[in-house]
Amino acid sequence: MEQKIIEPRKKIKEGFIGQKRIVLPPNIRKRIVNNPIVKTFYLTAIGHYPKAANHDIERKSGSKDYIFIYCTEGFGYINILGKKLLLSPNSYYIIPKNVSHRYQSHETSPWSIFWAHFSGDIAESIFNRFAEGNLTQVQEVPFVESRIKQFNLIYTLLEQSVDEKDMEIINIKLLNFMSSFIYYKEVNPDVYNSNSISKSILYMKKNLKEKFTVEDLAIQQNLSASHYLRSFKQKTGSSPINYFNQLKIQESCQYLYFSDMSIKEICAELGFSDQYYFSRLFKLITGTSPSRYKKLHKR
């Protein structure tokens, strides 16, 4: 039987339809680091890559700047510190400086990302606020339209001028933009307080093998099903069951990538009695089948 040859996908760093990208030249950066107003926190590059098929960047020696990546559509991966992290819609990650990494869009469901490289005296402190001691934790935030408008304003201002005062405005706005992610829990206590929904998500993560209904999860938090459902969607933008299934699929990706478990064994480990249902759900969320994912990513 003739063996089918799978062509490796073409790696693309940039050049996507509709992309936006600005990289500050050395002379502008030098001027910024001598400006007492913004030298503590400033951008060095910024961009938006919509539906970035075959996007693939590897820096074996890391970057001299921190890299912020916010995914709004599709999926992508960040390989860092021995982990393969999945970025899904409404999630973000900050890559620390001087750390080897690789990031790439999903093969069949490529991500759309807003990104920025940043540096400055407080950049490390900002990163530490994001990481909170866990350097390989992707953070999720509800979608807020004003963030996208804020990003577009920063980009437009940067296109128009790099004068000293304009750069001060741009970098102050950038810090505000980043703060809307990193401090979202603190400035939205009604949504991200240590409340019943936060506890429910933690409960889900600790019980991925179980099968829950909305009623089960609501009772566990001593809430009515209608109130629980409404609160959960307000916080996450998703229904509880869809969110729980996404957690299961994310965990299955780890098993497929790091273990020799069969798909049947993974189903049993994550509480799926129907292997075909699991496969359909996996493809719906990741854009590919479990067997193909394992073939492409098995270490």
Side-chain angles (χ1 to χ4, degrees):
M1 182 180 293
E2 183 179 353
Q3 185 175 5
K4 184 177 179 181
I5 299 175
I6 301 176
E7 293 289 341
R9 73 176 192 168
K10 182 181 179 182
K11 297 181 180 180
I12 300 176
K13 292 185 178 181
E14 57 180 280
F16 310 101
I17 296 174
Q19 81 166 36
K20 296 179 178 181
R21 177 178 178 269
I22 297 175
V23 178
L24 295 184
N27 63 313
I28 302 298
R29 290 187 59 164
K30 185 177 180 180
R31 205 167 66 201
I32 291 172
V33 298
N34 291 321
N35 184 319
I37 295 177
V38 294
K39 70 176 185 177
T40 59
F41 185 87
Y42 58 88
L43 69 82
T44 58
I46 190 170
H48 174 220
Y49 290 169
K51 297 182 179 178
N54 299 323
H55 185 209
D56 194 325
I57 300 288
E58 183 173 12
R59 298 184 181 91
K60 293 184 178 179
S61 298
S63 169
K64 60 184 177 181
D65 301 319
Y66 292 89
I67 304 173
F68 166 84
I69 301 176
Y70 171 45
C71 178
T72 56
E73 291 182 282
F75 300 87
Y77 307 101
I78 298 175
N79 291 272
I80 189 166
L81 298 172
K83 298 281 188 178
K84 184 168 187 176
L85 313 179
L86 174 69
L87 254 69
S88 55
N90 301 322
S91 65
Y92 76 98
Y93 185 75
I94 298 177
I95 299 174
K97 67 177 183 179
N98 302 324
V99 174
S100 176
H101 63 266
R102 178 184 181 188
Y103 53 86
Q104 57 194 133
S105 62
H106 192 276
E107 294 83 359
T108 57
S109 183
W111 61 13
S112 293
I113 56 171
F114 293 85
W115 57 268
H117 293 215
F118 66 91
S119 190
D121 298 340
I122 65 169
E124 182 178 1
S125 297
I126 291 293
F127 171 78
N128 289 336
R129 279 284 182 258
F130 151 75
E132 294 183 338
N134 188 343
L135 302 185
T136 57
Q137 177 65 50
V138 171
Q139 298 291 344
E140 298 179 357
V141 290
F143 178 80
V144 179
E145 181 65 31
S146 61
R147 282 203 197 99
I148 307 304
K149 292 179 179 179
Q150 191 174 25
F151 179 94
N152 289 334
L153 176 59
I154 293 168
Y155 191 91
T156 300
L157 291 172
L158 190 57
E159 279 186 312
Q160 294 174 350
S161 174
V162 290
D163 288 344
E164 185 174 37
K165 187 175 288 187
D166 293 315
M167 290 304 299
E168 290 171 359
I169 295 169
I170 287 165
N171 285 297
I172 290 169
K173 286 186 175 295
L174 178 71
L175 181 56
N176 186 55
F177 172 77
M178 296 283 292
S179 297
S180 74
F181 290 87
I182 295 170
Y183 296 100
Y184 189 83
K185 297 177 183 179
E186 286 73 22
V187 299
N188 293 274
D190 56 326
V191 177
Y192 264 104
N193 200 358
S194 180
N195 56 17
S196 57
I197 303 305
S198 299
K199 294 174 183 177
S200 183
I201 290 173
L202 182 61
Y203 181 72
M204 290 179 185
K205 290 179 178 179
K206 290 181 177 180
N207 293 277
L208 291 175
K209 191 172 184 177
E210 303 300 326
K211 297 179 182 179
F212 295 128
T213 65
V214 171
E215 289 74 17
D216 293 333
L217 294 167
I219 290 171
Q220 198 272 332
Q221 294 299 322
N222 296 314
L223 296 173
S224 70
S226 59
H227 178 70
Y228 173 79
L229 186 61
R230 183 171 60 254
S231 299
F232 196 98
K233 195 162 187 179
Q234 180 186 16
K235 174 177 177 176
T236 67
S238 172
S239 71
I241 302 306
N242 285 344
Y243 194 96
F244 189 42
N245 282 335
Q246 185 167 318
L247 290 176
K248 286 174 178 272
I249 296 304
Q250 288 177 2
E251 185 70 8
S252 73
C253 288
Q254 298 298 310
Y255 288 131
L256 290 168
Y257 185 68
F258 289 107
S259 78
D260 293 320
M261 295 171 66
S262 68
I263 293 174
K264 183 177 181 180
E265 289 172 329
I266 292 171
C267 285
E269 185 67 23
L270 295 174
F272 290 104
S273 56
D274 186 338
Q275 186 173 329
Y276 296 103
Y277 171 72
F278 165 75
S279 296
R280 289 196 303 272
L281 184 64
F282 189 98
K283 188 170 185 178
L284 179 66
I285 292 175
T286 69
T288 191
S289 67
S291 57
R292 177 169 172 75
Y293 183 95
K294 187 171 186 175
K295 185 181 296 184
L296 288 170
H297 301 290
K298 187 72 180 72
R299 297 187 70 178

Short mmCIF file of all heavy atoms in Angstrom, two decimals, residues 21-66:
data_model
loop_
_atom_site.label_atom_id
_atom_site.label_comp_id
_atom_site.label_asym_id
_atom_site.label_seq_id
_atom_site.Cartn_x
_atom_site.Cartn_y
_atom_site.Cartn_z
N ARG A 21 0.71 45.79 12.23
CA ARG A 21 1.98 45.53 12.91
C ARG A 21 2.87 46.76 12.86
O ARG A 21 3.09 47.33 11.79
CB ARG A 21 2.70 44.36 12.24
CG ARG A 21 4.07 44.03 12.82
CD ARG A 21 4.66 42.83 12.10
NE ARG A 21 5.98 42.50 12.58
CZ ARG A 21 7.12 42.98 12.07
NH1 ARG A 21 7.07 43.82 11.04
NH2 ARG A 21 8.28 42.62 12.57
N ILE A 22 3.32 47.18 14.03
CA ILE A 22 4.28 48.28 14.13
C ILE A 22 5.39 47.87 15.08
O ILE A 22 5.12 47.42 16.20
CB ILE A 22 3.62 49.58 14.65
CG1 ILE A 22 2.54 50.07 13.67
CG2 ILE A 22 4.68 50.67 14.84
CD1 ILE A 22 1.78 51.29 14.18
N VAL A 23 6.63 48.00 14.65
CA VAL A 23 7.80 47.74 15.49
C VAL A 23 8.57 49.05 15.62
O VAL A 23 8.92 49.67 14.61
CB VAL A 23 8.71 46.66 14.89
CG1 VAL A 23 9.93 46.45 15.76
CG2 VAL A 23 7.95 45.35 14.72
N LEU A 24 8.82 49.48 16.85
CA LEU A 24 9.52 50.74 17.06
C LEU A 24 11.00 50.61 16.74
O LEU A 24 11.66 49.67 17.21
CB LEU A 24 9.36 51.21 18.51
CG LEU A 24 7.94 51.57 18.96
CD1 LEU A 24 7.98 52.11 20.38
CD2 LEU A 24 7.31 52.60 18.04
N PRO A 25 11.55 51.54 15.96
CA PRO A 25 12.98 51.50 15.63
C PRO A 25 13.83 51.87 16.83
O PRO A 25 13.34 52.50 17.79
CB PRO A 25 13.10 52.53 14.51
CG PRO A 25 11.96 53.47 14.71
CD PRO A 25 10.85 52.65 15.28
N PRO A 26 15.12 51.54 16.80
CA PRO A 26 16.01 51.80 17.96
C PRO A 26 16.06 53.25 18.40
O PRO A 26 16.13 53.53 19.60
CB PRO A 26 17.38 51.33 17.44
CG PRO A 26 17.05 50.30 16.40
CD PRO A 26 15.80 50.78 15.74
N ASN A 27 16.00 54.20 17.46
CA ASN A 27 16.11 55.61 17.86
C ASN A 27 14.89 56.06 18.68
O ASN A 27 15.02 56.86 19.62
CB ASN A 27 16.28 56.50 16.63
CG ASN A 27 15.08 56.44 15.69
OD1 ASN A 27 14.59 55.37 15.38
ND2 ASN A 27 14.61 57.59 15.25
N ILE A 28 13.71 55.52 18.37
CA ILE A 28 12.52 55.85 19.16
C ILE A 28 12.59 55.20 20.53
O ILE A 28 12.26 55.82 21.55
CB ILE A 28 11.24 55.41 18.41
CG1 ILE A 28 11.15 56.07 17.04
CG2 ILE A 28 10.00 55.74 19.25
CD1 ILE A 28 11.08 57.58 17.08
N ARG A 29 13.03 53.97 20.57
CA ARG A 29 13.17 53.27 21.85
C ARG A 29 14.16 53.99 22.77
O ARG A 29 13.93 54.13 23.98
CB ARG A 29 13.63 51.83 21.63
CG ARG A 29 12.58 50.95 21.00
CD ARG A 29 13.00 49.50 20.95
NE ARG A 29 13.29 48.95 22.27
CZ ARG A 29 13.37 47.65 22.53
NH1 ARG A 29 13.18 46.77 21.58
NH2 ARG A 29 13.64 47.23 23.75
N LYS A 30 15.24 54.46 22.18
CA LYS A 30 16.25 55.18 22.97
C LYS A 30 15.65 56.44 23.58
O LYS A 30 15.92 56.78 24.74
CB LYS A 30 17.44 55.53 22.09
CG LYS A 30 18.60 56.17 22.85
CD LYS A 30 19.78 56.41 21.93
CE LYS A 30 20.93 57.07 22.70
NZ LYS A 30 22.10 57.32 21.80
N ARG A 31 14.81 57.11 22.82
CA ARG A 31 14.17 58.33 23.30
C ARG A 31 13.20 58.01 24.44
O ARG A 31 13.09 58.76 25.42
CB ARG A 31 13.42 59.01 22.15
CG ARG A 31 13.24 60.50 22.33
CD ARG A 31 12.79 61.13 21.05
NE ARG A 31 11.45 60.68 20.68
CZ ARG A 31 10.96 60.73 19.45
NH1 ARG A 31 11.70 61.17 18.46
NH2 ARG A 31 9.73 60.33 19.20
N ILE A 32 12.51 56.87 24.33
CA ILE A 32 11.54 56.48 25.36
C ILE A 32 12.23 56.17 26.68
O ILE A 32 11.77 56.59 27.75
CB ILE A 32 10.71 55.26 24.89
CG1 ILE A 32 9.80 55.66 23.74
CG2 ILE A 32 9.89 54.70 26.04
CD1 ILE A 32 9.10 54.49 23.10
N VAL A 33 13.33 55.42 26.63
CA VAL A 33 14.00 55.01 27.88
C VAL A 33 14.61 56.20 28.60
O VAL A 33 14.98 56.08 29.78
CB VAL A 33 15.07 53.93 27.62
CG1 VAL A 33 14.46 52.68 27.04
CG2 VAL A 33 16.18 54.45 26.72
N ASN A 34 14.72 57.32 27.93
CA ASN A 34 15.22 58.54 28.58
C ASN A 34 14.08 59.47 29.01
O ASN A 34 14.33 60.56 29.51
CB ASN A 34 16.17 59.29 27.63
CG ASN A 34 17.47 58.54 27.42
OD1 ASN A 34 18.01 57.96 28.35
ND2 ASN A 34 17.98 58.55 26.20
N ASN A 35 12.84 59.02 28.81
CA ASN A 35 11.69 59.83 29.19
C ASN A 35 11.19 59.36 30.56
O ASN A 35 10.72 58.23 30.71
CB ASN A 35 10.58 59.66 28.15
CG ASN A 35 9.37 60.55 28.42
OD1 ASN A 35 8.94 60.70 29.55
ND2 ASN A 35 8.81 61.11 27.37
N PRO A 36 11.27 60.20 31.59
CA PRO A 36 10.91 59.76 32.95
C PRO A 36 9.45 59.41 33.11
O PRO A 36 9.09 58.68 34.04
CB PRO A 36 11.29 60.98 33.81
CG PRO A 36 11.26 62.14 32.88
CD PRO A 36 11.71 61.61 31.56
N ILE A 37 8.59 59.88 32.21
CA ILE A 37 7.15 59.61 32.34
C ILE A 37 6.81 58.18 31.93
O ILE A 37 5.97 57.53 32.55
CB ILE A 37 6.33 60.63 31.51
CG1 ILE A 37 6.51 62.03 32.09
CG2 ILE A 37 4.84 60.24 31.50
CD1 ILE A 37 5.79 63.11 31.30
N VAL A 38 7.46 57.67 30.89
CA VAL A 38 7.06 56.36 30.36
C VAL A 38 8.17 55.31 30.37
O VAL A 38 7.94 54.17 29.94
CB VAL A 38 6.51 56.51 28.92
CG1 VAL A 38 5.23 57.29 28.92
CG2 VAL A 38 7.55 57.15 27.99
N LYS A 39 9.35 55.64 30.86
CA LYS A 39 10.43 54.66 30.82
C LYS A 39 10.16 53.45 31.72
O LYS A 39 10.78 52.41 31.57
CB LYS A 39 11.76 55.31 31.20
CG LYS A 39 11.88 55.69 32.68
CD LYS A 39 13.27 56.23 32.97
CE LYS A 39 13.45 56.51 34.46
NZ LYS A 39 14.83 56.97 34.77
N THR A 40 9.21 53.63 32.64
CA THR A 40 8.90 52.50 33.52
C THR A 40 8.08 51.42 32.83
O THR A 40 8.10 50.26 33.23
CB THR A 40 8.13 52.99 34.77
OG1 THR A 40 6.93 53.63 34.35
CG2 THR A 40 8.98 53.94 35.58
N PHE A 41 7.33 51.81 31.78
CA PHE A 41 6.51 50.85 31.06
C PHE A 41 6.25 51.38 29.65
O PHE A 41 5.63 52.43 29.50
CB PHE A 41 5.18 50.62 31.77
CG PHE A 41 4.33 49.55 31.14
CD1 PHE A 41 4.48 48.21 31.49
CD2 PHE A 41 3.38 49.87 30.18
CE1 PHE A 41 3.72 47.23 30.88
CE2 PHE A 41 2.60 48.90 29.57
CZ PHE A 41 2.78 47.57 29.94
N TYR A 42 6.70 50.66 28.65
CA TYR A 42 6.54 51.15 27.28
C TYR A 42 6.51 49.98 26.30
O TYR A 42 7.08 48.92 26.54
CB TYR A 42 7.67 52.12 26.92
CG TYR A 42 9.06 51.53 27.03
CD1 TYR A 42 9.66 50.86 25.97
CD2 TYR A 42 9.79 51.65 28.22
CE1 TYR A 42 10.94 50.33 26.08
CE2 TYR A 42 11.06 51.12 28.34
CZ TYR A 42 11.64 50.46 27.27
OH TYR A 42 12.89 49.93 27.39
N LEU A 43 5.82 50.20 25.18
CA LEU A 43 5.75 49.17 24.16
C LEU A 43 6.93 49.28 23.21
O LEU A 43 7.49 50.35 23.00
CB LEU A 43 4.43 49.25 23.39
CG LEU A 43 4.13 50.41 22.44
CD1 LEU A 43 4.78 50.21 21.08
CD2 LEU A 43 2.64 50.55 22.25
N THR A 44 7.31 48.14 22.64
CA THR A 44 8.36 48.10 21.63
C THR A 44 7.82 47.59 20.29
O THR A 44 8.44 47.80 19.26
CB THR A 44 9.52 47.20 22.09
OG1 THR A 44 9.02 45.88 22.34
CG2 THR A 44 10.15 47.74 23.36
N ALA A 45 6.69 46.91 20.33
CA ALA A 45 6.03 46.44 19.11
C ALA A 45 4.58 46.13 19.44
O ALA A 45 4.26 45.81 20.59
CB ALA A 45 6.73 45.20 18.55
N ILE A 46 3.72 46.22 18.44
CA ILE A 46 2.30 46.00 18.68
C ILE A 46 1.65 45.53 17.39
O ILE A 46 2.10 45.88 16.28
CB ILE A 46 1.62 47.29 19.20
CG1 ILE A 46 0.20 47.02 19.69
CG2 ILE A 46 1.66 48.39 18.15
CD1 ILE A 46 -0.42 48.20 20.44
N GLY A 47 0.60 44.71 17.50
CA GLY A 47 -0.05 44.26 16.27
C GLY A 47 -1.31 43.45 16.50
O GLY A 47 -1.67 43.11 17.63
N HIS A 48 -1.98 43.18 15.40
CA HIS A 48 -3.18 42.35 15.38
C HIS A 48 -3.08 41.43 14.17
O HIS A 48 -2.92 41.89 13.04
CB HIS A 48 -4.43 43.22 15.26
CG HIS A 48 -5.70 42.43 15.09
ND1 HIS A 48 -6.71 42.82 14.23
CD2 HIS A 48 -6.11 41.26 15.66
CE1 HIS A 48 -7.69 41.93 14.27
NE2 HIS A 48 -7.35 40.98 15.14
N TYR A 49 -3.16 40.11 14.41
CA TYR A 49 -3.11 39.13 13.34
C TYR A 49 -4.44 38.38 13.30
O TYR A 49 -4.70 37.52 14.13
CB TYR A 49 -1.98 38.12 13.56
CG TYR A 49 -0.58 38.68 13.39
CD1 TYR A 49 0.53 37.93 13.79
CD2 TYR A 49 -0.37 39.94 12.85
CE1 TYR A 49 1.81 38.43 13.63
CE2 TYR A 49 0.92 40.44 12.69
CZ TYR A 49 2.01 39.68 13.09
OH TYR A 49 3.28 40.18 12.93
N PRO A 50 -5.34 38.72 12.36
CA PRO A 50 -6.63 38.02 12.28
C PRO A 50 -6.52 36.72 11.50
O PRO A 50 -5.90 36.66 10.44
CB PRO A 50 -7.51 39.03 11.53
CG PRO A 50 -6.55 39.82 10.69
CD PRO A 50 -5.24 39.85 11.43
N LYS A 51 -7.09 35.65 12.07
CA LYS A 51 -7.11 34.34 11.43
C LYS A 51 -5.75 34.01 10.81
O LYS A 51 -5.62 33.78 9.61
CB LYS A 51 -8.22 34.28 10.38
CG LYS A 51 -9.61 34.45 11.01
CD LYS A 51 -10.73 34.35 10.00
CE LYS A 51 -12.09 34.51 10.70
NZ LYS A 51 -13.21 34.47 9.76
N ALA A 52 -4.76 33.98 11.68
CA ALA A 52 -3.36 33.86 11.27
C ALA A 52 -2.98 32.41 11.00
O ALA A 52 -2.33 31.75 11.82
CB ALA A 52 -2.46 34.47 12.33
N ALA A 53 -3.40 31.90 9.84
CA ALA A 53 -3.11 30.51 9.47
C ALA A 53 -1.61 30.30 9.33
O ALA A 53 -0.89 31.11 8.74
CB ALA A 53 -3.82 30.17 8.16
N ASN A 54 -1.13 29.20 9.92
CA ASN A 54 0.28 28.79 9.86
C ASN A 54 1.22 29.75 10.59
O ASN A 54 2.43 29.70 10.38
CB ASN A 54 0.74 28.62 8.40
CG ASN A 54 -0.04 27.56 7.67
OD1 ASN A 54 -0.39 26.54 8.25
ND2 ASN A 54 -0.32 27.79 6.40
N HIS A 55 0.67 30.60 11.43
CA HIS A 55 1.51 31.49 12.23
C HIS A 55 2.38 30.65 13.16
O HIS A 55 1.88 29.80 13.90
CB HIS A 55 0.61 32.43 13.05
CG HIS A 55 1.37 33.46 13.81
ND1 HIS A 55 0.92 34.00 14.99
CD2 HIS A 55 2.56 34.08 13.56
CE1 HIS A 55 1.78 34.90 15.43
NE2 HIS A 55 2.79 34.96 14.59
N ASP A 56 3.67 30.86 13.13
CA ASP A 56 4.58 30.01 13.89
C ASP A 56 5.86 30.78 14.17
O ASP A 56 6.60 31.13 13.26
CB ASP A 56 4.89 28.74 13.08
CG ASP A 56 5.55 27.66 13.93
OD1 ASP A 56 6.33 27.99 14.83
OD2 ASP A 56 5.28 26.47 13.67
N ILE A 57 6.09 31.08 15.44
CA ILE A 57 7.28 31.83 15.85
C ILE A 57 8.04 31.03 16.90
O ILE A 57 7.45 30.54 17.86
CB ILE A 57 6.91 33.19 16.46
CG1 ILE A 57 6.14 34.06 15.46
CG2 ILE A 57 8.17 33.92 16.94
CD1 ILE A 57 6.95 34.60 14.33
N GLU A 58 9.34 30.89 16.73
CA GLU A 58 10.18 30.22 17.72
C GLU A 58 11.38 31.10 18.04
O GLU A 58 12.05 31.61 17.15
CB GLU A 58 10.66 28.86 17.21
CG GLU A 58 11.47 28.09 18.24
CD GLU A 58 11.80 26.68 17.80
OE1 GLU A 58 11.59 26.37 16.61
OE2 GLU A 58 12.26 25.89 18.64
N ARG A 59 11.60 31.29 19.33
CA ARG A 59 12.77 32.05 19.79
C ARG A 59 13.49 31.18 20.82
O ARG A 59 13.10 31.12 21.98
CB ARG A 59 12.34 33.38 20.42
CG ARG A 59 11.63 34.33 19.46
CD ARG A 59 11.33 35.66 20.15
NE ARG A 59 10.62 36.59 19.26
CZ ARG A 59 9.30 36.66 19.17
NH1 ARG A 59 8.53 35.86 19.93
NH2 ARG A 59 8.73 37.51 18.34
N LYS A 60 14.54 30.52 20.40
CA LYS A 60 15.24 29.59 21.28
C LYS A 60 15.93 30.30 22.44
O LYS A 60 16.14 29.71 23.50
CB LYS A 60 16.23 28.77 20.48
CG LYS A 60 15.55 27.83 19.48
CD LYS A 60 16.55 26.95 18.76
CE LYS A 60 15.83 25.99 17.81
NZ LYS A 60 16.77 25.12 17.06
N SER A 61 16.31 31.55 22.23
CA SER A 61 16.95 32.31 23.29
C SER A 61 15.97 33.28 23.96
O SER A 61 16.37 34.10 24.78
CB SER A 61 18.14 33.10 22.72
OG SER A 61 19.10 32.23 22.19
N GLY A 62 14.69 33.19 23.60
CA GLY A 62 13.69 34.06 24.18
C GLY A 62 13.72 35.45 23.55
O GLY A 62 14.41 35.71 22.57
N SER A 63 12.99 36.36 24.15
CA SER A 63 12.91 37.74 23.69
C SER A 63 13.42 38.66 24.79
O SER A 63 13.28 38.36 25.98
CB SER A 63 11.46 38.11 23.36
OG SER A 63 11.32 39.50 23.16
N LYS A 64 14.01 39.78 24.41
CA LYS A 64 14.48 40.73 25.42
C LYS A 64 13.33 41.54 26.01
O LYS A 64 13.52 42.28 26.98
CB LYS A 64 15.53 41.67 24.81
CG LYS A 64 15.05 42.49 23.65
CD LYS A 64 16.20 43.31 23.07
CE LYS A 64 15.76 44.09 21.84
NZ LYS A 64 16.88 44.86 21.26
N ASP A 65 12.13 41.40 25.41
CA ASP A 65 10.94 42.07 25.93
C ASP A 65 9.92 41.03 26.39
O ASP A 65 10.01 39.86 26.03
CB ASP A 65 10.30 42.94 24.85
CG ASP A 65 11.24 44.00 24.32
OD1 ASP A 65 11.96 44.61 25.13
OD2 ASP A 65 11.27 44.22 23.09
N TYR A 66 8.94 41.46 27.17
CA TYR A 66 7.80 40.62 27.52
C TYR A 66 6.82 40.65 26.34
O TYR A 66 6.71 41.66 25.63
CB TYR A 66 7.12 41.13 28.78
CG TYR A 66 7.97 40.98 30.02
CD1 TYR A 66 8.86 41.99 30.40
CD2 TYR A 66 7.90 39.84 30.81
CE1 TYR A 66 9.65 41.86 31.53
CE2 TYR A 66 8.68 39.69 31.94
CZ TYR A 66 9.56 40.70 32.29
OH TYR A 66 10.35 40.56 33.41
#
